[in-house]
Amino acid sequence: MTDIVVVGSLNVDVVVPLHELPAPGQTVLGAADHRRAGGGKGANQAVAAARLGRRVAMVGAVGIDADGDWLLGLIAAEGVATEAVLRAPRPTGQAIVLVTADGDSTIAVSSGANMWLAAEHLGPLRDLLGSARAVLLQQEVDAAVVAEAVRLAEGLVVLNPAPARPVDPATLARVDVLVPNRGELAALAGAPPTDAGADALAAMARSLGTRGPVVVTLGGDGALVVTTDRQWLIPAERVDAVDATGAGDTFCAALADALLDGAAIDEAARWASRAAAVTVTRPGAMEAAPRRVEVPTSA
């Protein structure tokens, strides 16, 4: 049985190191040579889960091109099953990642094949999705794909609603664990971007109508776990950050990993926080995800 099926994006990342991120209209020179890396939130989360020892299958699409060949080979080498990744008559997705030495980043994505993937492509994958212990999703594919995957899933459903966009209430109602950041939570709740405290964030989380907890990632401030009657603030691990690009993806994969082991939601969030903390100490996203032995077992 597959532990985790990831339904989401696969991109080739072009990473450009900078001394500082450019302001609007500004051109800045790179701090070092650019490099190519595997990416896309779906592929990142799939590799992160595989590195934690999970049996993982990827559902998505890449182009009929050299980038697609390279990307499929890359994630297959990490142990991710790629039979359910379709080849699309559109280019493989690309992401331009601008990152500074202190870990700040800005990302622009050309979705390509990721947005070619349609809900009807999931019909032949019904057995794969229905038999998985968990289905892990993001929002770099079409909203109808997310909704259909949630409908077909019979195990744990974990939705990382990134990038921010509306989610149909019927889909939210079938989500077991929602993992937004602060901005994504506000967008889902129909509120403006906010620096609100834990109580206000918890109220927004409870207003969404998910059938399970909401785990709000707060970057350097940690994570807020919200259930119907409780909330916990999970402190961030203190590390020397190099690149925060892949932190959220590692967090989501590790959260699902711990929940499949039977951890309570607050303990799962602590495990996810420790795994994400390892990720930010390394450059890159996919390649920065830790293996299980590299994640501290306790804070």
Side-chain angles (χ1 to χ4, degrees):
M1 178 187 294
T2 301
D3 290 322
I4 299 174
V5 172
V6 180
V7 181
S9 58
L10 303 97
N11 290 328
V12 173
D13 289 353
V14 178
V15 183
V16 183
L18 298 175
H19 295 294
E20 60 182 4
L21 296 177
Q26 181 185 20
T27 298
V28 296
L29 294 178
D33 291 342
H34 73 277
R35 56 188 173 83
R36 182 172 75 157
K41 295 189 71 61
N44 290 345
Q45 292 181 21
V47 168
R51 287 189 175 185
L52 292 173
R54 292 296 173 182
R55 292 165 295 187
V56 181
M58 182 78 213
V59 174
V62 296
I64 308 170
D65 52 27
D67 282 338
D69 294 340
W70 177 79
L71 196 49
L72 288 178
L74 186 68
I75 68 171
E78 294 283 353
V80 176
T82 61
E83 291 82 0
V85 179
L86 306 181
R87 304 304 293 260
R90 290 181 63 181
T92 297
Q94 304 279 326
I96 308 302
V97 182
L98 308 179
V99 61
T100 65
D102 61 3
D104 287 338
S105 63
T106 294
I107 306 171
V109 177
S110 174
S111 296
N114 295 307
M115 282 299 178
W116 170 86
L117 188 70
E120 54 263 32
H121 292 131
L122 301 189
L125 305 175
R126 178 185 300 270
D127 290 345
L128 176 66
L129 290 161
S131 64
R133 297 179 63 201
V135 175
L136 182 55
L137 306 111
Q138 321 79 35
Q139 296 201 126
E140 289 183 338
V141 293
D142 189 79
V145 172
V146 174
E148 182 67 359
V150 169
R151 188 183 72 82
L152 294 174
E154 297 180 15
L156 179 75
V157 175
V158 180
L159 173 61
N160 172 214
R165 72 179 178 210
V167 179
D168 182 78
T171 298
L172 277 178
R174 301 173 73 104
V175 170
D176 294 301
V177 185
L178 186 72
V179 193
N181 64 20
R182 188 191 300 266
E184 292 150 5
L185 174 63
L188 287 173
T194 180
D195 291 325
D199 289 344
L201 292 174
M204 281 192 281
R206 293 186 180 111
S207 74
L208 298 178
T210 60
R211 66 184 179 190
V214 177
V215 181
V216 187
T217 57
L218 303 173
D221 293 327
L224 179 68
V225 178
V226 182
T227 65
T228 54
D229 58 355
R230 290 195 64 184
Q231 63 196 59
W232 299 263
L233 184 61
I234 310 298
E237 303 291 312
R238 297 304 171 193
V239 296
D240 293 325
V242 172
D243 184 351
T245 307
D249 294 329
T250 294
F251 185 98
C252 292
L255 188 74
D257 166 67
L259 291 170
L260 289 182
D261 278 341
I265 187 63
D266 59 316
E267 288 303 319
R270 289 184 174 91
W271 168 251
S273 181
R274 294 196 294 273
V278 177
T279 300
V280 303
T281 64
R282 305 167 171 176
M286 181 185 292
E287 67 266 45
R291 302 190 184 278
R292 182 173 291 274
V293 297
E294 297 176 301
V295 182
T297 56
S298 61

